Each structure stands twice: as structure tokens, then as C-alpha cells.
């Protein structure tokens, strides 16, 4: 959520930021509502003052034996008007809050302008795509040939966009998750958390999935929501809190299933494991002081990159354009892994600096050491990384002509020394 006081002082800044995102200006609408609200508050305060004065006059008149009926009638009229004004103020405040909840974060100045992913800017690459002397197969062909990836069984159980992993691939999925958690906790200072997978409305409002993106989520009959990412419970750990400056930075990580309806992805990536209703992801969340958030984004992205470096997966890093960023982000880096089966790079991690946007929605603050009062923290989140997509990358980049798959050396301790996956039939 954006700061209303900032919008009052910087209406052109709001409209320019929205324009960079390809959206229509909103300052006039928001400030009109705000002006009406403030005018009613001013009138309400005037009536409150007069009511108090008239009440004192009534007491004085009665004490002196004078007729106070006119004053009593005046106070009655004032109270009726005050009630109407209070109702108007509450209604306007609700309208303002609802409008602000729909406004996305504004892009940082160094984010490239553009309408969509075509304007993203590549920053760097690691590794060269493997040069096979055979036609590369995608993960579906590889997994089914290995007899360990079963989409038909998953469809029978749950429908489209699900998969059943068996045997060595189920073990590989577990190994990848354990490897990432160990890396992030032992080398990058993240605290491992096991959060709930069901959350209330307030948690999703806090991180920005609600109210705009409810159709992308799964809701239960108990009015809980299945988490679309561990970003939601991890970031909301500080919701409503006032932290000491010494508590920051706070870095947490979690492996959780993620549940997404993919309502906006009809017809996209319908083959295989790239886009599913249920998948696992290791999430990274940082809560930091405002002056440290830009540096923290670089650090977080580096932690996610290290996963791919250790597993020898070729990748590139791009900075997203204003038209491709998520709702809550002010700057985002995507890490895209090379997938030989698709002959292209595909997103495997997205790391975002949300500034104070989520903190303001969650009312998450800290006490600065150098001044009185409190300030909003800055929040960051990133995939560290998506387990299913990493499994795809390991399979496709490690494939051999005979249908077997070479496994990265860094994973072998998690797989009992296994160096390759070989067809069982």
C-alpha cells in the first residue's frame, strides 16, 4: 500500500509511476476522496467544539434558572449532524483504503520501462548451454522413459496440472529441497521456518495477493486460503509487530507446497511440470531497514544464483521491466535456467524488493536507533528456488544419449552417492 500523505505531496509522482506500469493516473480520484474525507473531519471537529460549548451553556443556563430549550435543541441537531458526518467519514475512509489496496507498488527509478517481458534487460549469464550430439528431450520424455514421472496417474487423482513422482525422482525432489535449505541456512544466514499452509484473508492482504488476485488462489470451506507461496506466511510473521533495530535484518526460509489456480495462465505450459496447481518451493524472505533493502536484493539474488552454480545449471539474470513486475514489487530480478528441452531460458527464481509496500499493509514497523518513533520496515522475497523447475533443469541439462541422466556432484551426498539416474525398463 502506498502512503496517502506521500500521494498528497507527490500526485505527479504517483501518476508517473502508474504510467510507467502502463496504468491510468489515479491521483485526482484518490485526492478527491481524501479531500472530501478531510473536509468532513474538519466540519466534524467544528461541530464537536460547538457541542461542547453549548453543553456548558446549557449547564450555566439551568444553574441560573434561564430557559435552555433552544440550546438543547441546538445540541440535538448538532449530534444528528455529527452522526451523519461520522458515517460519511467512515464510508470515505473505507473507499480510500479500498482504492489504495488496488494500487500497485511504484517501480524504482532504475527499473527499465516497457510494456511486458520483451522489455526485460539481461544483466549476466553463468555457464554455457550443453552441446549435445543428439536431439535433446524435454523432462516429460525423460521422466516417463525413466518410469518415474506419471502424469496419467496424477490426472486420474486430481485432473490436469498435477504430477506423480516415483522412486528416484521423488528422492531427487527431496534431495534438491534439502540441498537448498542447507545452503541457505548454513552459508547465507537464513533461519529455517515451518509455517502453516493455510492462512486467513489478512495475511494475503498483507502481502498483496488480495484483493486483486483472489481468482489465482484456492479457498477452503473454512475461509482459509491455501498459500500460493511461502512468502505469505513468512512475511506476515512480522505483521503488526514493532521490531527493534537490532533485530534487523531478519532472514527466513521455508520449504512449502504452493497452490495456484493458474486462472490467468489458461493454455500456457500445459505440458509437463512447468506450471502446476501444486508444487514445492524454497522461499527466501528478508525484513530489513529501508536503507539496506537495495543491497539486500542483490544479496538475495546471489543466494538464489548460488543454487544453480553449485548444481552446474546454466542460467541468466534479467531485471524485469515496469510492465512485467509483480503487483507488490518495486524492483525484481528473474533468474532463468537453461532448459534444453525447450531450447530457451525459463524463470526458476524471482527476487523482489517490495520496499515499504507490504509493511504498510501489514503495519510492520521497527524502532530506528537514531531517532524517536517508528518507521516501516522493508520486505523482500525470492524463490531460492522452485523445486519442480530445478528438477526439470537437472534432468534436461544432465541427459545423455542413452536416456540416463547425470547428476550434479553437489547433490550426490543427498542421494547416497548416486551419480546418475538410469532407465529401469
Amino acid at each position: 500500500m502506498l502512503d496517502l500523505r506521500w500521494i498528497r505531496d507527490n500526485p505527479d509522482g504517483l501518476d508517473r509511476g502508474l504510467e510507467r506500469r502502463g496504468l491510468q493516473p489515479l491521483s485526482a480520484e484518490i485526492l478527491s476522496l481524501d479531500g472530501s474525507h478531510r473536509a468532513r473531519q474538519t466540519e466534524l471537529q467544528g461541530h464537536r467544539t460547538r457541542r461542547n460549548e453549548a453543553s456548558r451553556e446549557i449547564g450555566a443556563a439551568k444553574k441560573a434558572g434561564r430557559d435552555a430549550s433552544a440550546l438543547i435543541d441546538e445540541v440535538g441537531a448538532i449530534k444528528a449532524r455529527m452522526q451523519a458526518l461520522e458515517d460519511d467519514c467512515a464510508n470515505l475512509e473505507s473507499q480510500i483504503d479500498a482504492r489504495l489496496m488496488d494500487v500497485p507498488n511504484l517501480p524504482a527509478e532504475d527499473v527499465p520501462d516497457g510494456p511486458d517481458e520483451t522489455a526485460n534487460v539481461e544483466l549476466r549469464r553463468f555457464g554455457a548451454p550443453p552441446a549435445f550430439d543428439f536431439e535433446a528431450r524435454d523432462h516429460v520424455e525423460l521422466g516417463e522413459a525413466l518410469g518415474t514421472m506419471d502424469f496419467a496417474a496424477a490426472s486420474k487423482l486430481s485432473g490436469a496440472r498435477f504430477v506423480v513422482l516415483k522412486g528416484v525422482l521423488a528422492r531427487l525432489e527431496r534431495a534438491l529441497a534439502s540441498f537448498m535449505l542447507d545452503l541457505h541456512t548454513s552459508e547465507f544466514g537464513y533461519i529455517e521456518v515451518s509455517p502453516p499452509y493455510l492462512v486467513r484473508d489478512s495475511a494475503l492482504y498483507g502481502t498483496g495477493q488480495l484483493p486483486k488476485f483472489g481468482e489465482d488462489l484456492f479457498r477452503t470451506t473454512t475461509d482459509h486460503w491455501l498459500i500460493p507461496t511461502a512468502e505469505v506466511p513468512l512475511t506476515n510473521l512480522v505483521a503488526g509487530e514493532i521490531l527493534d533495530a537490532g533485530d534487523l535484518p531478519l532472514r527466513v526460509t521455508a520449504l512449502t507446497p504452493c497452490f495456484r489456480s493458474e486462472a490467468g495462465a489458461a493454455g500456457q505450459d500445459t505440458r509437463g511440470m512447468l506450471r502446476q496447481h501444486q508444487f514445492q518451493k524454497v522461499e527466501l524472505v528478508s525484513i530489513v531497514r529501508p536503507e539496506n533493502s537495495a543491497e539486500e536484493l542483490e544479496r538475495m539474488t546471489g543466494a538464489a544464483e548460488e543454487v544453480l552454480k553449485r548444481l552446474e545449471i546454466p542460467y541468466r539474470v534479467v531485471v524485469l521491466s515496469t510492465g512485467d513486475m509483480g503487483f507488490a514489487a518495486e524492483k525484481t530480478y528473474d533468474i532463468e535456467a537453461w532448459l534444453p528441452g525447450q531450447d530457451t531460458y525459463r524463470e526458476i527464481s524471482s527476487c523482489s524488493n517490495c520496499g515499504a509496500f507490504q509493511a504498510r499493509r501489514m503495519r510492520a514497523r521497527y524502532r530506528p536507533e537514531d531517532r524517536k518513533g517508528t518507521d516501516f520496515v522493508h520486505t523482500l522475497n525470492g524463490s531460492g528456488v522452485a523445486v519442480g523447475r530445478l528438477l526439470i533443469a537437472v534432468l534436461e541439462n544432465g541427459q545423455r544419449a542413452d536416456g540416463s541422466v547425470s547428476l550434479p556432484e553437489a547433490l550426490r551426498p543427498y542421494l547416497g552417492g548416486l551419480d546418475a539416474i538410469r532407465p529401469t525398463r
Side-chain angles (χ1 to χ4, degrees), residues 64-354:
R66 297 194 304 270
D67 182 12
S69 57
L71 288 169
I72 293 172
D73 290 344
E74 181 185 358
V75 169
I78 289 173
K79 287 181 177 180
R81 177 57 181 162
M82 287 177 63
Q83 183 60 59
L85 287 169
E86 287 171 353
D87 291 344
D88 282 351
C89 283
N91 181 50
L92 286 164
E93 188 172 350
S94 178
Q95 290 184 56
I96 293 168
D97 286 345
R99 201 68 190 93
L100 290 176
M101 280 286 186
D102 282 339
V103 179
N105 204 351
L106 302 183
E109 290 299 328
D110 60 347
V111 171
D113 289 346
D116 51 37
E117 68 276 3
T118 60
N120 295 347
V121 176
E122 183 177 320
L123 300 178
R124 55 186 175 273
R125 293 191 180 199
F126 170 84
F132 299 127
D133 58 2
F134 56 90
E135 185 176 351
R137 291 184 283 182
D138 69 11
H139 67 282
V140 178
E141 296 175 274
L142 290 165
E144 291 182 338
L146 291 168
T148 51
M149 185 180 291
D150 195 336
F151 291 97
S155 178
K156 180 174 65 176
L157 294 169
S158 307
R161 295 192 189 271
F162 291 92
V163 67
V164 171
L165 299 179
K166 303 182 237 181
V168 68
L169 283 197
R171 187 178 184 186
L172 176 59
E173 182 182 49
R174 175 162 50 91
L176 288 168
S178 296
F179 163 73
M180 287 187 278
L181 288 173
D182 286 350
L183 176 66
H184 294 316
T185 56
S186 65
E187 297 191 28
F188 293 108
Y190 287 88
I191 300 168
E192 185 174 354
V193 175
S194 179
Y197 305 156
L198 294 168
V199 295
R200 296 173 175 169
D201 293 11
S202 58
L204 290 157
Y205 274 98
T207 46
Q209 282 81 12
L210 290 178
K212 288 182 71 69
F213 305 105
E215 66 174 7
D216 294 326
L217 309 174
F218 287 109
R219 190 172 194 172
T220 73
T221 56
T222 61
D223 284 338
H224 287 88
W225 301 79
L226 291 168
I227 59 170
T229 165
E231 170 201 344
V232 176
L234 291 182
T235 308
N236 275 278
L237 289 174
V238 298
E241 300 292 325
I242 299 178
L243 306 173
D244 290 329
D247 296 332
L248 304 176
L250 173 62
R251 300 183 178 108
V252 288
T253 184
L255 166 69
T256 68
C258 305
F259 305 92
R260 301 183 184 179
S261 72
E262 298 295 350
Q268 297 181 33
D269 297 316
T270 55
R271 175 177 168 82
M273 292 176 56
L274 272 167
R275 194 181 296 273
Q276 296 193 294
H277 290 311
Q278 175 188 315
F279 59 94
Q280 293 193 73
K281 181 157 63 80
V282 173
E283 186 73 1
L284 306 174
V285 164
S286 295
I287 312 296
V288 302
R289 305 183 197 196
E291 63 269 22
N292 296 333
S293 64
E295 178 183 358
E296 185 70 14
L297 178 60
E298 305 299 326
R299 183 187 189 278
M300 177 180 284
T301 305
E305 286 184 73
E306 191 62 28
V307 171
L308 302 183
K309 288 179 179 178
R310 300 281 177 96
L311 299 181
E312 304 171 44
I313 303 296
Y315 70 86
R316 69 176 184 174
V317 179
V318 301
V319 58
L320 300 193
S321 72
T322 53
D324 198 31
M325 289 196 314
F327 179 81
E330 64 180 37
K331 185 176 183 179
T332 298
Y333 293 131
D334 269 9
I335 303 172
E336 300 176 347
W338 176 259
L339 300 185
Q342 294 200 10
D343 195 33
T344 191
Y345 291 95
R346 293 298 304 265
E347 178 205 333
I348 199 168
S349 172
S350 191
C351 298
S352 297
N353 183 1
C354 298

Side-chain angles (χ1 to χ4, degrees), residues 410-423:
L411 276 184
R412 294 173 190 175
Y414 294 88
L415 293 164
L418 189 68
D419 63 356
I421 303 174
R422 296 174 177 85

Side-chain angles (χ1 to χ4, degrees), residues 149 165 169 172-173 176 387-395:
M149 185 180 291
L165 299 179
L169 283 197
L172 176 59
E173 182 182 49
L176 288 168
V387 180
R389 291 197 174 197
L390 186 56
L391 186 146
I392 291 171
V394 168
L395 290 179

